[in-house]
Amino acid sequence: MLDERGLFVDDCVIYHIAVTSWMVVHGTGTGMEQLTKVAAAKNCAVIMDDDLHDMSLQGPVAIEFLEKHVPGIRGLAYFGIMSTKLFGRNVMISRTGYTGERGYEIFVGAKDAVHVWDNILSDGEGMGIRPVQFSTLDMLRIESYLLFYPGDNSETFPFEDGTPAGDSLWELGLEFVVSPGKQGFIGSENHYAMEGKERFKIYGVKLMGAAMDQMEMFARVHHEGKDVGVITYGLSSELNGYSVAIARLDPSVAVPGTALTVVQ
Protein backbone atom coordinates (compact mmCIF):
# COMPACT_ATOMS: atom_id res chain seq x y z
CA MET A 1 0.00 0.00 0.00
CA LEU A 2 1.25 3.47 -0.97
CA ASP A 3 0.21 6.95 0.10
CA GLU A 4 -0.39 9.90 -2.21
CA ARG A 5 3.39 10.56 -2.26
CA GLY A 6 3.91 7.12 -3.79
CA LEU A 7 5.69 5.97 -0.62
CA PHE A 8 5.20 2.66 1.16
CA VAL A 9 2.90 2.73 4.21
CA ASP A 10 1.80 -0.89 4.74
CA ASP A 11 1.73 -4.39 3.32
CA CYS A 12 -1.18 -6.80 3.29
CA VAL A 13 -2.58 -10.10 2.10
CA ILE A 14 -6.03 -10.03 0.50
CA TYR A 15 -8.04 -13.26 0.68
CA HIS A 16 -11.11 -13.71 -1.54
CA ILE A 17 -13.62 -15.26 0.88
CA ALA A 18 -16.83 -15.13 -1.17
CA VAL A 19 -18.22 -13.50 -4.32
CA THR A 20 -18.46 -10.03 -2.80
CA SER A 21 -16.31 -10.31 0.33
CA TRP A 22 -12.60 -10.23 0.98
CA MET A 23 -10.50 -10.51 4.12
CA VAL A 24 -7.56 -8.11 4.36
CA VAL A 25 -4.78 -8.93 6.80
CA HIS A 26 -2.47 -5.93 6.92
CA GLY A 27 0.81 -5.26 8.68
CA THR A 28 1.81 -2.68 11.26
CA GLY A 29 1.34 0.38 9.08
CA THR A 30 -1.67 2.52 8.19
CA GLY A 31 -3.51 -0.09 6.14
CA MET A 32 -6.76 0.18 8.06
CA GLU A 33 -6.80 3.97 7.69
CA GLN A 34 -6.08 3.69 3.95
CA LEU A 35 -8.89 1.18 3.38
CA THR A 36 -11.42 3.16 5.42
CA LYS A 37 -10.53 6.38 3.63
CA VAL A 38 -10.95 4.93 0.16
CA ALA A 39 -14.09 2.95 1.01
CA ALA A 40 -15.90 6.10 2.18
CA ALA A 41 -16.82 6.98 -1.40
CA LYS A 42 -17.52 3.44 -2.60
CA ASN A 43 -20.39 0.98 -2.39
CA CYS A 44 -18.68 -1.21 0.18
CA ALA A 45 -18.03 -1.53 3.90
CA VAL A 46 -14.81 -2.02 5.84
CA ILE A 47 -15.44 -4.03 9.01
CA MET A 48 -12.77 -4.38 11.69
CA ASP A 49 -12.98 -7.85 13.26
CA ASP A 50 -11.52 -7.97 16.76
CA ASP A 51 -12.97 -11.45 17.27
CA LEU A 52 -10.67 -13.22 14.80
CA HIS A 53 -7.40 -14.69 16.02
CA ASP A 54 -4.49 -15.64 13.77
CA MET A 55 -2.22 -18.54 14.72
CA SER A 56 0.84 -19.14 12.57
CA LEU A 57 1.92 -22.77 12.20
CA GLN A 58 5.22 -22.65 10.36
CA GLY A 59 7.98 -25.10 9.50
CA PRO A 60 8.69 -28.36 7.69
CA VAL A 61 6.24 -30.49 9.71
CA ALA A 62 3.31 -28.04 9.47
CA ILE A 63 1.78 -29.82 6.48
CA GLU A 64 2.37 -33.26 7.97
CA PHE A 65 0.51 -32.22 11.09
CA LEU A 66 -2.39 -30.50 9.37
CA GLU A 67 -3.06 -33.24 6.82
CA LYS A 68 -3.90 -35.58 9.70
CA HIS A 69 -6.83 -33.31 10.57
CA VAL A 70 -7.78 -31.40 7.40
CA PRO A 71 -8.64 -33.33 4.22
CA GLY A 72 -7.23 -31.70 1.08
CA ILE A 73 -4.89 -29.32 2.91
CA ARG A 74 -1.86 -30.50 0.91
CA GLY A 75 -3.52 -29.27 -2.27
CA LEU A 76 -3.97 -25.73 -0.96
CA ALA A 77 -2.03 -23.35 -3.21
CA TYR A 78 0.50 -20.81 -1.96
CA PHE A 79 -1.49 -17.80 -0.73
CA GLY A 80 -4.67 -19.86 -0.98
CA ILE A 81 -7.28 -20.08 1.78
CA MET A 82 -9.92 -22.64 2.76
CA SER A 83 -12.76 -22.85 5.26
CA THR A 84 -12.73 -26.07 7.25
CA LYS A 85 -12.82 -27.53 10.76
CA LEU A 86 -9.88 -28.16 13.06
CA PHE A 87 -10.40 -30.08 16.30
CA GLY A 88 -14.14 -29.62 15.84
CA ARG A 89 -14.03 -25.84 15.47
CA ASN A 90 -14.70 -23.64 12.44
CA VAL A 91 -11.49 -22.17 11.05
CA MET A 92 -10.01 -20.66 7.91
CA ILE A 93 -6.54 -21.87 6.97
CA SER A 94 -4.26 -20.07 4.53
CA ARG A 95 -0.91 -21.17 3.15
CA THR A 96 0.86 -17.99 4.16
CA GLY A 97 3.23 -16.79 6.87
CA TYR A 98 6.17 -14.58 7.68
CA THR A 99 9.05 -16.99 8.10
CA GLY A 100 10.17 -18.15 4.66
CA GLU A 101 9.28 -21.69 5.72
CA ARG A 102 6.36 -23.62 4.32
CA GLY A 103 3.62 -22.75 6.74
CA TYR A 104 0.01 -21.96 7.42
CA GLU A 105 -2.05 -19.37 9.23
CA ILE A 106 -5.12 -20.51 11.14
CA PHE A 107 -7.87 -17.93 11.56
CA VAL A 108 -10.25 -18.83 14.37
CA GLY A 109 -12.86 -17.04 16.48
CA ALA A 110 -11.90 -15.87 19.95
CA LYS A 111 -14.16 -18.36 21.74
CA ASP A 112 -12.40 -21.29 20.01
CA ALA A 113 -8.84 -19.98 19.96
CA VAL A 114 -7.64 -21.54 23.23
CA HIS A 115 -9.19 -24.90 22.30
CA VAL A 116 -7.43 -24.97 18.92
CA TRP A 117 -4.11 -23.69 20.37
CA ASP A 118 -4.05 -26.28 23.17
CA ASN A 119 -4.90 -29.14 20.84
CA ILE A 120 -2.24 -28.17 18.31
CA LEU A 121 0.43 -28.13 21.03
CA SER A 122 -0.79 -31.34 22.64
CA ASP A 123 -1.28 -33.34 19.45
CA GLY A 124 1.86 -31.91 17.81
CA GLU A 125 4.25 -32.30 20.73
CA GLY A 126 5.65 -35.56 19.41
CA MET A 127 6.42 -33.85 16.09
CA GLY A 128 8.35 -31.05 17.79
CA ILE A 129 5.62 -28.42 17.48
CA ARG A 130 5.97 -25.81 20.21
CA PRO A 131 5.29 -22.10 20.78
CA VAL A 132 8.05 -19.63 19.94
CA GLN A 133 8.67 -16.00 20.76
CA PHE A 134 8.76 -13.04 18.41
CA SER A 135 12.56 -13.04 18.27
CA THR A 136 12.39 -16.45 16.56
CA LEU A 137 10.16 -14.93 13.91
CA ASP A 138 12.68 -12.12 13.50
CA MET A 139 15.49 -14.63 12.91
CA LEU A 140 13.55 -16.48 10.24
CA ARG A 141 12.42 -13.36 8.42
CA ILE A 142 15.99 -12.01 8.26
CA GLU A 143 17.33 -15.31 6.88
CA SER A 144 14.54 -15.20 4.29
CA TYR A 145 15.10 -11.50 3.52
CA LEU A 146 11.57 -10.46 4.50
CA LEU A 147 11.17 -6.81 5.46
CA PHE A 148 9.37 -5.53 8.57
CA TYR A 149 7.54 -2.22 8.67
CA PRO A 150 8.59 0.08 10.26
CA GLY A 151 11.67 -1.76 11.57
CA ASP A 152 13.60 -1.53 8.28
CA ASN A 153 12.14 1.81 7.21
CA SER A 154 12.91 5.51 7.61
CA GLU A 155 10.34 5.70 10.42
CA THR A 156 12.99 3.90 12.49
CA PHE A 157 16.06 5.16 10.59
CA PRO A 158 15.33 8.85 9.78
CA PHE A 159 16.99 10.61 6.87
CA GLU A 160 19.90 12.75 8.05
CA ASP A 161 18.75 15.79 6.05
CA GLY A 162 15.43 15.89 7.90
CA THR A 163 13.35 14.64 4.97
CA PRO A 164 9.98 13.33 6.24
CA ALA A 165 9.82 9.57 6.76
CA GLY A 166 8.75 7.49 3.79
CA ASP A 167 10.46 5.02 1.46
CA SER A 168 9.74 4.23 -2.17
CA LEU A 169 9.26 0.74 -3.54
CA TRP A 170 12.39 1.27 -5.66
CA GLU A 171 14.42 1.89 -2.51
CA LEU A 172 12.95 -1.11 -0.71
CA GLY A 173 13.43 -3.49 -3.64
CA LEU A 174 9.67 -4.02 -3.80
CA GLU A 175 9.00 -2.55 -7.24
CA PHE A 176 8.10 -6.06 -8.47
CA VAL A 177 4.77 -5.84 -6.60
CA VAL A 178 3.48 -3.32 -9.18
CA SER A 179 2.38 -4.97 -12.41
CA PRO A 180 4.18 -3.45 -15.43
CA GLY A 181 2.15 -0.54 -16.79
CA LYS A 182 -0.32 -0.58 -13.90
CA GLN A 183 -2.03 2.82 -13.50
CA GLY A 184 -4.68 4.43 -11.33
CA PHE A 185 -3.61 3.27 -7.88
CA ILE A 186 -2.94 5.71 -5.05
CA GLY A 187 0.42 7.38 -5.57
CA SER A 188 0.98 5.79 -8.99
CA GLU A 189 2.38 8.88 -10.76
CA ASN A 190 4.78 9.67 -7.93
CA HIS A 191 5.80 6.01 -7.70
CA TYR A 192 6.91 5.89 -11.33
CA ALA A 193 8.57 9.31 -11.09
CA MET A 194 10.89 8.06 -8.33
CA GLU A 195 12.45 5.29 -10.40
CA GLY A 196 16.20 5.85 -10.61
CA LYS A 197 16.15 8.47 -7.85
CA GLU A 198 16.79 6.12 -4.94
CA ARG A 199 18.28 7.79 -1.85
CA PHE A 200 19.28 4.37 -0.47
CA LYS A 201 18.79 0.70 -1.21
CA ILE A 202 17.63 -2.00 1.17
CA TYR A 203 20.20 -4.79 0.79
CA GLY A 204 21.29 -8.00 2.45
CA VAL A 205 24.82 -8.28 3.80
CA LYS A 206 26.89 -11.26 4.88
CA LEU A 207 28.97 -10.61 7.99
CA MET A 208 32.31 -12.25 8.69
CA GLY A 209 35.17 -11.86 11.17
CA ALA A 210 34.87 -9.12 13.78
CA ALA A 211 31.73 -7.80 12.09
CA MET A 212 29.81 -10.83 13.34
CA ASP A 213 29.74 -9.24 16.80
CA GLN A 214 28.65 -5.86 15.43
CA MET A 215 25.41 -6.71 13.73
CA GLU A 216 23.04 -4.91 16.11
CA MET A 217 20.46 -2.41 14.95
CA PHE A 218 21.91 1.03 14.15
CA ALA A 219 25.46 -0.32 13.58
CA ARG A 220 27.05 1.76 10.81
CA VAL A 221 28.28 0.38 7.50
CA HIS A 222 31.49 1.75 5.94
CA HIS A 223 33.06 1.38 2.50
CA GLU A 224 36.64 2.51 1.94
CA GLY A 225 36.47 4.66 5.07
CA LYS A 226 33.20 6.35 4.16
CA ASP A 227 29.91 5.89 6.03
CA VAL A 228 27.51 4.35 3.51
CA GLY A 229 24.64 3.01 5.55
CA VAL A 230 23.17 1.35 8.63
CA ILE A 231 22.24 -2.14 9.79
CA THR A 232 18.50 -2.46 10.45
CA TYR A 233 18.64 -5.96 11.90
CA GLY A 234 21.20 -8.76 11.95
CA LEU A 235 21.69 -12.19 13.43
CA SER A 236 23.99 -15.16 13.58
CA SER A 237 22.41 -17.66 11.21
CA GLU A 238 22.88 -21.23 12.38
CA LEU A 239 21.14 -22.37 9.21
CA ASN A 240 23.78 -20.79 6.98
CA GLY A 241 26.77 -21.00 9.30
CA TYR A 242 27.49 -17.25 9.14
CA SER A 243 25.88 -13.96 10.15
CA VAL A 244 23.45 -12.05 7.97
CA ALA A 245 21.82 -8.65 8.19
CA ILE A 246 19.54 -6.27 6.35
CA ALA A 247 20.99 -2.82 5.74
CA ARG A 248 20.02 0.54 4.28
CA LEU A 249 22.91 1.33 1.94
CA ASP A 250 23.99 4.06 -0.43
CA PRO A 251 22.92 2.83 -3.91
CA SER A 252 26.54 2.98 -5.11
CA VAL A 253 27.55 0.11 -2.79
CA ALA A 254 24.36 -1.94 -2.99
CA VAL A 255 26.04 -4.21 -5.51
CA PRO A 256 26.84 -7.93 -5.16
CA GLY A 257 30.41 -8.56 -4.00
CA THR A 258 31.05 -5.11 -2.54
CA ALA A 259 33.32 -5.31 0.52
CA LEU A 260 31.88 -3.48 3.51
CA THR A 261 32.88 -2.93 7.12
CA VAL A 262 30.36 -2.88 9.96
CA VAL A 263 31.24 -0.69 12.95
CA GLN A 264 29.47 0.40 16.11
Side-chain angles (χ1 to χ4, degrees):
M1 294 185 183
L2 306 180
D3 62 13
E4 289 79 1
R5 300 175 297 165
L7 301 178
F8 177 84
V9 293
D10 208 345
D11 57 352
C12 65
V13 178
I14 304 175
Y15 301 102
H16 195 185
I17 304 300
V19 175
T20 59
S21 65
W22 290 261
M23 179 173 71
V24 180
V25 180
H26 68 85
T28 53
T30 58
M32 184 63 181
E33 291 87 339
Q34 286 281 74
L35 288 171
T36 303
K37 178 180 178 181
V38 175
K42 306 292 192 302
N43 183 23
C44 64
V46 177
I47 302 171
M48 176 68 174
D49 192 348
D50 276 333
D51 189 54
L52 197 62
H53 288 236
D54 180 4
M55 302 177 193
S56 188
L57 183 64
Q58 303 285 305
V61 302
I63 183 59
E64 297 177 29
F65 174 82
L66 285 175
E67 70 178 350
K68 298 191 303 180
H69 305 282
V70 182
I73 187 69
R74 191 173 282 275
L76 185 63
Y78 191 37
F79 276 84
I81 193 168
M82 65 188 299
S83 295
T84 184
K85 285 186 178 291
L86 184 60
F87 299 111
R89 302 296 196 270
N90 292 323
V91 299
M92 292 183 292
I93 301 178
S94 67
R95 189 182 163 188
T96 51
Y98 185 52
T99 63
E101 295 274 5
R102 177 169 183 150
Y104 298 82
E105 290 181 273
I106 302 165
F107 299 95
V108 57
K111 66 182 178 62
D112 297 323
V114 173
H115 174 81
V116 172
W117 172 274
D118 287 346
N119 276 276
I120 289 175
L121 294 181
S122 175
D123 193 62
E125 183 178 9
M127 302 176 69
I129 294 176
R130 62 187 187 275
V132 298
Q133 58 190 3
F134 193 84
S135 59
T136 303
L137 182 66
D138 243 345
M139 292 175 64
L140 292 169
R141 71 104 176 168
I142 295 299
E143 288 180 334
S144 303
Y145 194 58
L146 299 174
L147 303 183
F148 173 67
Y149 180 90
D152 298 312
N153 298 81
S154 52
E155 282 76 6
T156 302
F157 300 89
F159 295 110
E160 293 183 359
D161 62 2
T163 300
D167 306 326
S168 74
L169 297 184
W170 311 101
E171 293 167 335
L172 298 174
L174 295 176
E175 66 275 8
F176 67 90
V177 303
V178 178
S179 299
K182 177 72 174 179
Q183 299 288 338
F185 56 90
I186 293 175
S188 60
E189 292 184 0
N190 287 326
H191 161 70
Y192 288 115
M194 287 183 285
E195 182 179 6
K197 301 175 183 177
E198 295 82 8
R199 298 159 292 180
F200 71 93
K201 279 280 193 177
I202 281 281
Y203 217 71
V205 296
K206 177 180 178 181
L207 305 175
M208 298 176 290
M212 294 179 65
D213 299 323
Q214 299 173 326
M215 58 191 177
E216 294 87 356
M217 289 180 64
F218 301 104
R220 303 304 302 181
V221 181
H222 288 189
H223 175 66
E224 297 180 349
K226 179 182 177 182
D227 190 307
V228 293
V230 61
I231 297 291
T232 67
Y233 202 92
L235 61 91
S236 179
S237 173
E238 295 185 12
L239 177 67
N240 293 303
Y242 50 78
S243 294
V244 293
I246 290 177
R248 295 168 64 90
L249 300 177
D250 186 284
S252 65
V253 300
V255 179
T258 303
L260 303 169
T261 303
V262 179
V263 299
Q264 290 291 69

